[in-house]
Amino acid sequence: MPEIPCSKCRRPAIIFQRYSGLHLCRSHFVADFESKAKRAIRQHRWITPGDRIGVAMSGGKDSSALLHFLVKLLGKRHDISLVAFTIDEGIQGYRDCMVARRIAEGLGVEHIPASFEDYFGITVDQIVGKKGDRLSCSYCGVLRRQLLNRVAKQHGITRLALGFNLDDEAQSVLMNVLRGDADRLLRPSGAAEGLVPRIKPFMYIPEREVALYALLHIEGFEIGRCPYSHNALRADVRNLLNDYAWRHPATRYSLVNLGERLSGIGGDVPAAAICESCGEPFIGECRTCRMLSEVLDDLC
Ligand SMILES: [Zn+2]
Ligand SMILES: [Zn+2]
């Protein structure tokens, strides 16, 4: 096959961006990628002097790429610090904190592990053993969210950096639309009191570009999928969107924009209450404690 030249410098291209019409070589791809992530950070004022940023690191391509990018961006700054942490949900044969640790330490970043077992006294494998795997993603998601927040606060983290990419974000918006979940679409994006603010530097970058950036820079990231991740709606939405966006390449950006516009008209962040039993903030009810009481009751 003849080599296609980069649209900017005529060196061999490694990727074609359908939405921009550009073929890019390695160095122009990396420059384009990093400038998009930096622009997202600037636009949202996501990082300010004095911040201690915690990267939630699964060891997969997105979070490993994010840590690499943040080290490159902030590694020389003395007024901003970085740590990585990994939540071990207790899924045998899937989560291996050593993968994330090796990558973090290879980048010179302190790595902090935390497990469902230590904090909640139960693993996802045990939850699935009791409840089946139909709702495992919702249990796991709620518990992981709280544990990330607890660990972040314990380690003085001021921003929680998540590796979500454009595909993830667009899927989430479309899922809320398809479920008719107006509350979630209109929910303000700011963090409630007691919740460490979250930042998503890759939210405007397509998944395949995050994967390529990871392949170019990181060795040995985790490629497995969670054995319980057959969240049917998300898989359907992913397929639908991939198919549609192939013909209409701007679709994912439109959806993410829509999500941001809607959350912007949702008003102020509602005041959170503090849960009496776990001490964490919640709005409505503490889903963590409700779920734990459902699964812990007859475990003993
Ligand atoms: Zn080039
Ligand atoms: Zn609680």
Side-chain angles (χ1 to χ4, degrees):
M1 230 173 55
E3 258 173 12
I4 297 173
C6 173
S7 310
K8 299 192 173 184
C9 73
R10 317 310 287 169
R11 272 180 292 193
I14 61 168
I15 189 168
F16 174 60
Q17 293 176 330
R18 288 180 67 82
Y19 55 93
S20 70
L22 295 177
H23 296 274
L24 296 174
C25 68
R26 177 180 175 139
S27 64
H28 279 114
F29 164 70
V30 170
D32 178 73
F33 181 99
E34 292 176 350
S35 77
K36 279 177 183 147
K38 285 185 218 168
R39 194 182 320 134
I41 290 172
R42 234 181 5 251
Q43 276 173 354
H44 293 86
R45 297 193 181 84
W46 267 335
I47 298 178
T48 47
D51 268 334
R52 180 165 166 78
I53 298 167
V55 179
M57 215 191 156
S58 66
K61 64 180 189 330
D62 303 285
S63 57
S64 302
L66 180 59
L67 187 65
H68 173 88
F69 165 74
L70 289 173
V71 168
K72 191 169 170 186
L73 181 70
L74 306 168
K76 294 197 178 70
R77 294 271 302 252
H78 296 295
D79 55 344
I80 294 172
S81 60
L82 265 179
V83 291
F85 48 94
T86 303
I87 305 294
D88 180 352
E89 302 91 345
I91 302 172
Q92 183 109 60
Y94 167 63
R95 177 67 65 230
D96 174 2
C97 287
M98 289 315 290
V99 173
R101 164 159 292 210
R102 215 165 32 236
I103 293 169
E105 290 181 349
L107 289 163
V109 175
E110 181 193 355
H111 179 260
I112 300 159
S115 73
F116 275 23
E117 181 144 47
D118 289 348
Y119 280 80
F120 300 127
I122 192 164
T123 65
V124 168
D125 282 341
Q126 287 169 319
I127 293 175
V128 170
K130 294 173 52 60
K131 290 272 172 185
D133 62 5
R134 208 174 58 82
L135 292 174
S136 57
C137 288
S138 8
Y139 280 94
C140 185
V142 167
L143 297 183
R144 182 163 3 90
R145 204 179 158 82
Q146 185 187 90
L147 185 47
L148 278 172
N149 198 57
R150 279 162 72 168
V151 178
K153 284 193 289 191
Q154 279 169 10
H155 290 86
I157 283 157
T158 56
R159 313 265 175 180
L160 197 51
L162 304 172
F164 292 128
N165 58 51
L166 178 70
D167 297 47
D168 299 325
E169 293 294 308
Q171 286 157 19
S172 299
V173 175
L174 187 53
M175 281 165 69
N176 290 333
V177 170
L178 295 173
R179 275 195 296 241
D181 194 339
D183 285 346
R184 210 175 271 250
L185 284 165
L186 292 170
R187 186 177 295 165
S189 56
E193 209 181 316
L195 282 176
V196 178
R198 294 161 170 247
I199 67 174
K200 298 183 271 192
F202 293 167
M203 68 177 286
Y204 305 112
I205 304 182
E207 177 164 26
R208 66 191 281 264
E209 296 187 26
V210 178
L212 179 56
Y213 187 81
L215 280 170
L216 294 174
H217 297 108
I218 311 275
E219 254 172 61
F221 57 80
E222 180 78 63
I223 47 171
R225 265 179 176 276
C226 172
Y228 305 127
S229 74
H230 22 247
N231 182 333
L233 180 58
R234 187 172 283 271
D236 281 352
V237 167
R238 183 188 295 120
N239 292 335
L240 186 151
L241 199 50
N242 285 351
D243 182 52
Y244 187 83
W246 177 254
R247 278 168 283 128
H248 309 280
T251 303
R252 293 191 185 92
Y253 297 97
S254 312
L255 280 168
V256 169
N257 260 324
L258 174 71
E260 291 197 299
R261 292 279 296 280
L262 289 174
S263 86
I265 60 175
D268 293 332
V269 181
I274 297 298
C275 173
E276 281 177 15
S277 66
C278 70
E280 283 289 299
F282 67 95
I283 291 163
E285 62 159 350
C286 181
R287 292 175 72 200
T288 306
C289 285
R290 199 224 330 126
M291 286 181 168
L292 282 175
S293 74
E294 279 176 36
V295 290
L296 284 174
D297 265 359
D298 31 20
L299 193 72
C300 327

